[in-house]
Amino acid sequence: MLRAVRDLKGSFSFVAMSVDEPDLLVAAKSGSPLLVGIGDGECFLASDQTALCPHTSRFLVLDDGEIASVHRGSVDVMNFYGQPVHQEVCTSDMETDAVDLNGFRHYMLKEICEQPDVVRRILSEYTDDEGRVSLGDIGMSASELARVSRIVIQACGTSWHAGLVGKRLLEGLAHVHTEVDISSEFRYRNPILEGDTLVMAISQSGETADTLAGIRQAKSRFMKVLSLCNVATSSIARESDAVIDMLAGPEIGVASTKAYVAELVLLNLLTLFLARIRWTLDETSEQMIVGELQTLPGKIERILADQTAVAECAERFKNSQHFIFLGRGYDYPTALEGALKLKEISYIHATGYPAGEFKHGPIALVEKDLPVVAIATRGDLYDKMLSNIHEVRARKGKIIAVVTEGDEELAKLADYCLTVPEASDHLVPILSVVPLQLLAYHVAVMRGCDVDKPRNLAKSVTVE
């Protein structure tokens, strides 16, 4: 193994065994994650904590360029040149129940239903009794954050959609110039990073290869990196200057749900904190927004309590080959996320568009009975969305509208209405995504798809 790994290039993590030494496993890591679980007279190898949780709460995290020689009850770690390396034993507070189905048919549905508790947990941890945001010791001081004049968010997939919401929040409330990049593009485009720029990485797993590479690029240019991450022992968390723990708990389903909602809540809290220290939002306004955030768990529970309309809609369109999702403003990233969820687990082609771009080409796709999901909650751009919905209706497309409770006007226009409680524009994405998660779930189940393990996908994308 020592001779072999020095000749290997690229990212890898693997385990070797020999019939001649049945009580020995040798594991090597470079780039991809690898953990060694330490049990009672037994050891385990895995790529993340979740897999180890049913067996042990104690583990070692291997760094790049390290080899673990694993026996039945002991572990020796060395570098690729055979020199011994000392690794501290970490302890996970993850409970076994967190990775059980607990009566649910699928992990995805369980995790969708856990979202109210996730929001409560985050608010309990990151707000104080006076209704103000309190981030605690995240690795960067308030004075350092106050000096930030520009934020570059880089993320992949669902986390990138959260970043798009974050851009509107940070620019609208904290008045910080913000850019959002897909990590696989960010790492190769030679971005301009200078002055008081903060690079922000968002990742559920903390092992996303492109996002990790983006962090390393930023740090090579002496930029500070703040990460939103759901795994405190992950590579991204360890290599960042500051980390905000998502507190979403283990997410087993490949299609991310509760982590996305956690990201949106944390981006709201981070924005409020920055707005306060930059003097762009007064304390009373901050407390009002935190107060509204605290109403969200109950509102999500109301959405989850009655899934009749979602199930009927799923039954009607389960055999469709194409979907279009439309949204404006804060609802545009929700359209992207809804489309991603549907295609991830049901294998139906779905595309999200900013509704203002609809007439610049995509409207040509609308034909009789094409399902168009329009996120049209009450807000500043509501009338504009109504115009888009009329355009779809005139071309005989089928309209599935995500609407605010009590919206009678859209109830007359849409073929199906999925209602959400009323909320401020910047909080609506936390609510409006829930019926779209449920729609994707029910469609996939009705089509007989493997909801938790969709084809061709992995939970953590640890290679390019």
Side-chain angles (χ1 to χ4, degrees):
M1 282 284 285
L2 285 170
R3 289 195 302 270
V5 293
R6 292 198 293 269
D7 289 334
L8 297 178
K9 295 181 180 180
S11 177
F12 60 82
S13 179
F14 65 89
V15 182
M17 60 191 299
S18 168
V19 293
D20 298 324
E21 297 180 83
D23 291 330
L24 173 66
L25 295 175
V26 183
K29 175 194 184 306
S30 179
S32 298
L34 186 61
L35 308 180
V36 183
I38 303 172
D40 185 9
E42 57 186 355
C43 292
F44 308 86
L45 289 155
S47 59
D48 61 47
Q49 285 184 52
T50 306
L52 296 173
C53 179
H55 309 287
T56 181
S57 61
R58 300 171 65 239
F59 58 94
L60 302 176
V61 181
L62 296 190
D63 291 322
D64 287 348
E66 291 184 350
I67 287 181
S69 177
V70 182
H71 297 271
R72 190 177 297 275
S74 64
V75 181
D76 295 313
V77 182
M78 64 193 78
N79 63 25
F80 282 3
Y81 296 93
Q83 299 164 328
V85 174
H86 175 69
Q87 282 282 10
E88 292 290 338
V89 176
C90 301
T91 302
S92 171
D93 58 1
M94 192 182 299
E95 298 178 359
T96 303
D97 285 349
V99 295
D100 289 338
L101 279 167
N102 293 334
F104 285 90
R105 185 178 175 185
H106 299 100
Y107 281 109
M108 182 178 179
L109 182 59
K110 174 177 179 273
E111 288 154 10
I112 291 172
C113 292
E114 287 175 345
Q115 290 175 140
D117 288 336
V118 170
V119 178
R120 289 189 182 100
R121 190 183 310 134
I122 292 170
L123 293 174
S124 175
E125 179 68 22
Y126 295 118
T127 60
D128 60 26
D129 294 337
E130 297 177 357
R132 301 198 322 165
V133 178
S134 176
L135 297 179
D137 183 13
I138 62 171
M140 289 184 72
S141 66
S143 60
E144 287 180 290
L145 288 170
R147 289 195 296 270
V148 171
S149 61
R150 175 171 167 255
I151 294 176
V152 177
I153 298 174
Q154 53 112 6
C156 301
T158 286
S159 295
W160 176 63
H161 299 157
L164 294 174
V165 176
K167 173 182 170 66
R168 295 189 71 90
L169 287 167
L170 289 162
E171 292 188 338
L173 295 178
H175 300 178
V176 184
H177 173 64
T178 305
E179 300 173 22
V180 185
D181 241 330
I182 296 172
S183 296
S184 55
E185 296 295 323
F186 174 81
R187 64 180 292 193
Y188 292 118
R189 73 170 177 85
N190 192 25
I192 297 172
L193 301 174
E194 58 186 12
D196 295 318
T197 297
L198 176 69
V199 174
M200 186 185 301
I202 307 176
S203 171
Q204 187 282 137
S205 68
E207 301 293 349
T208 311
D210 288 314
T211 307
L212 183 57
I215 288 175
R216 290 169 177 166
Q217 182 184 38
K219 290 181 72 67
S220 72
R221 301 188 184 193
F222 307 102
M223 294 292 106
K224 290 285 188 180
V225 176
L226 166 64
S227 292
L228 271 61
C229 187
N230 198 35
V231 183
T233 57
S234 65
S235 301
I236 285 175
R238 295 198 310 275
E239 296 195 27
S240 299
D241 298 290
V243 180
I244 300 178
D245 191 340
M246 286 183 196
L247 302 175
E251 192 176 62
I252 311 299
V254 167
S256 182
T257 51
K258 65 178 181 176
Y260 179 69
V261 165
E263 289 164 359
L264 296 184
V265 174
L266 284 170
L267 285 165
N268 270 276
L269 294 178
L270 176 61
T271 298
L272 291 177
F273 184 78
L274 287 173
R276 185 210 310 156
I277 62 178
R278 290 170 59 85
W279 303 97
T280 62
L281 195 70
D282 61 58
E283 186 172 327
T284 301
S285 298
E286 178 186 1
Q287 291 171 327
M288 287 178 59
I289 295 172
V290 170
E292 188 176 0
L293 277 163
Q294 290 170 341
T295 69
L296 294 184
K299 291 178 178 180
I300 296 173
E301 286 171 342
R302 281 164 53 190
I303 298 171
L304 295 172
D306 185 2
Q307 300 178 29
T308 306
V310 175
E312 289 175 355
C313 184
E315 178 66 34
R316 168 64 179 82
F317 296 108
K318 65 183 180 183
N319 295 318
S320 297
Q321 297 301 307
H322 307 280
F323 269 73
I324 287 177
F325 288 71
L326 299 176
R328 287 176 181 262
Y330 280 105
D331 290 331
Y332 165 51
T334 306
L336 295 177
E337 178 62 11
L340 178 61
K341 286 287 128 342
L342 186 67
K343 56 191 166 191
E344 276 182 317
I345 63 171
S346 73
Y347 317 140
I348 294 174
H349 174 256
T351 307
Y353 294 106
E357 284 292 292
F358 197 45
K359 288 187 288 188
H360 294 269
I363 198 170
L365 297 170
V366 180
E367 58 186 358
K368 187 175 182 292
D369 294 334
L370 174 75
V372 177
V373 180
I375 298 98
T377 52
R378 288 277 183 194
D380 293 342
L381 299 173
Y382 176 78
D383 290 338
K384 299 291 185 181
M385 277 304 302
L386 279 181
S387 175
N388 289 118
I389 289 170
H390 279 291
E391 290 165 347
V392 173
R393 188 174 180 85
R395 290 158 179 80
K396 303 188 184 307
K398 294 296 181 183
I399 300 161
I400 305 165
V402 178
V403 303
T404 306
E405 287 176 342
D407 189 335
E408 296 180 3
E409 185 174 3
L410 258 178
K412 297 174 184 177
L413 279 175
D415 297 281
Y416 293 88
C417 280
L418 310 179
T419 60
V420 298
E422 189 170 0
S424 298
D425 280 7
H426 58 95
L427 300 182
V428 162
I430 300 169
L431 301 176
S432 59
V433 74
V434 178
L436 301 185
Q437 294 170 342
L438 292 170
L439 178 63
Y441 171 78
H442 286 293
V443 168
V445 169
M446 291 174 185
R447 287 168 65 92
C449 301
D450 189 339
V451 174
D452 290 330
K453 299 177 182 177
R455 68 190 183 199
N456 307 332
L457 296 178
K459 183 60 182 171
S460 302
V461 183
T462 58
V463 295
E464 284 194 71

